[in-house]
Amino acid sequence: MTRTSMIYVVVSIFMFVVQMSVVDPRGSCENQIFDNMIDKIVTMQCRDDNTGKDRPAFTVSLTTKEPTITGKVPIKFNHVILNCGGGYDPSTGYFTVPQTGLYHISATIMSRNGATFHASLDKNGQDIVLMYGTKINGDNESTNIVLELTKGDKVCVKHYMSRSEVIHGYGYCYFSGYYISK
């Protein structure tokens, strides 16, 4: 079955489930079917058409309340939105590359209450690009780069200064990446 025909089948089933939920507002069985279908769609999107394996991808955000970060340490984005391939670890803040290839990596940091914030995108302990949130309250600094990564490489957004700085939490700071190709 081709990817296009598989998507057609999923969309058709999705439309049927939505119609059933409208017919039966209690929808206990239909809601469970709907939830299962959403899980299947997310799983399909994470699959590589050529190998059938998970295509590494992650999106995480920082939802804690304005954390103070001291030293040159990884920022631990605590809210995992997507983690195809299981490469991101919220307890460490590192994305460990599960498959060698080209990756698109992005991050956004928001400064807080008129303070500055310094960060870097780090690969295996080396700063790749620097990010700086200015003294403007709510200033954003973003980076979007493509990197050639090898299985086992570790990528993180790291606080760049030795002194303590505070960033905005509540989902305004995020980090994501996805596998492009070999």
Side-chain angles (χ1 to χ4, degrees):
M1 179 177 263
T2 68
R3 182 171 180 84
T4 304
S5 60
M6 192 180 328
I7 289 172
Y8 176 76
V9 168
V10 169
V11 169
S12 297
I13 293 170
F14 175 78
M15 296 294 284
F16 172 76
V17 170
V18 169
Q19 288 173 348
M20 291 299 294
S21 294
V22 171
V23 171
D24 182 4
R26 293 168 293 146
S28 58
C29 182
E30 288 81 8
N31 286 344
Q32 186 176 15
I33 292 170
F34 179 77
D35 289 344
N36 289 341
M37 287 304 301
I38 294 298
D39 291 342
K40 296 287 185 203
I41 290 169
V42 169
T43 300
M44 281 176 38
Q45 293 300 319
C46 290
R47 298 282 179 199
D48 185 318
D49 289 339
N50 298 323
T51 66
K53 295 181 182 177
D54 278 342
R55 181 179 4 198
F58 70 97
T59 299
V60 294
S61 68
L62 184 65
T63 60
T64 57
K65 181 182 170 182
E66 300 175 343
T68 300
I69 301 174
T70 304
K72 295 183 176 187
V73 297
I75 298 170
K76 296 176 184 174
F77 294 86
N78 63 307
H79 179 64
V80 177
I81 299 166
L82 177 72
N83 197 9
C84 294
Y88 182 77
D89 183 351
S91 69
T92 65
Y94 283 101
F95 170 64
T96 303
V97 177
Q99 181 179 342
T100 298
L102 291 177
Y103 285 78
H104 176 263
I105 305 290
S106 65
T108 295
I109 300 295
M110 180 184 247
S111 65
R112 185 199 133 257
N113 291 339
T116 60
F117 191 83
H118 299 79
S120 70
L121 187 63
D122 177 285
K123 173 187 165 190
N124 298 330
Q126 300 294 314
D127 298 317
I128 303 299
V129 294
L130 301 179
M131 298 166 44
Y132 174 70
T134 67
K135 290 186 176 186
I136 298 169
N137 186 37
D139 183 40
N140 280 339
E141 181 60 33
S142 294
T143 187
N144 289 284
I145 64 172
V146 174
L147 291 173
E148 189 169 358
L149 299 173
T150 303
K151 183 177 180 173
D153 282 346
K154 293 190 177 293
V155 178
C156 70
V157 177
K158 180 176 70 177
H159 181 231
Y160 188 69
M161 303 300 281
S162 298
R163 69 175 185 259
S164 295
E165 294 181 316
V166 181
I167 57 176
H168 206 46
Y170 307 109
Y172 288 100
C173 298
Y174 50 90
F175 175 35
S176 67
Y178 60 89
Y179 174 82
I180 299 171
S181 69
K182 287 191 177 213

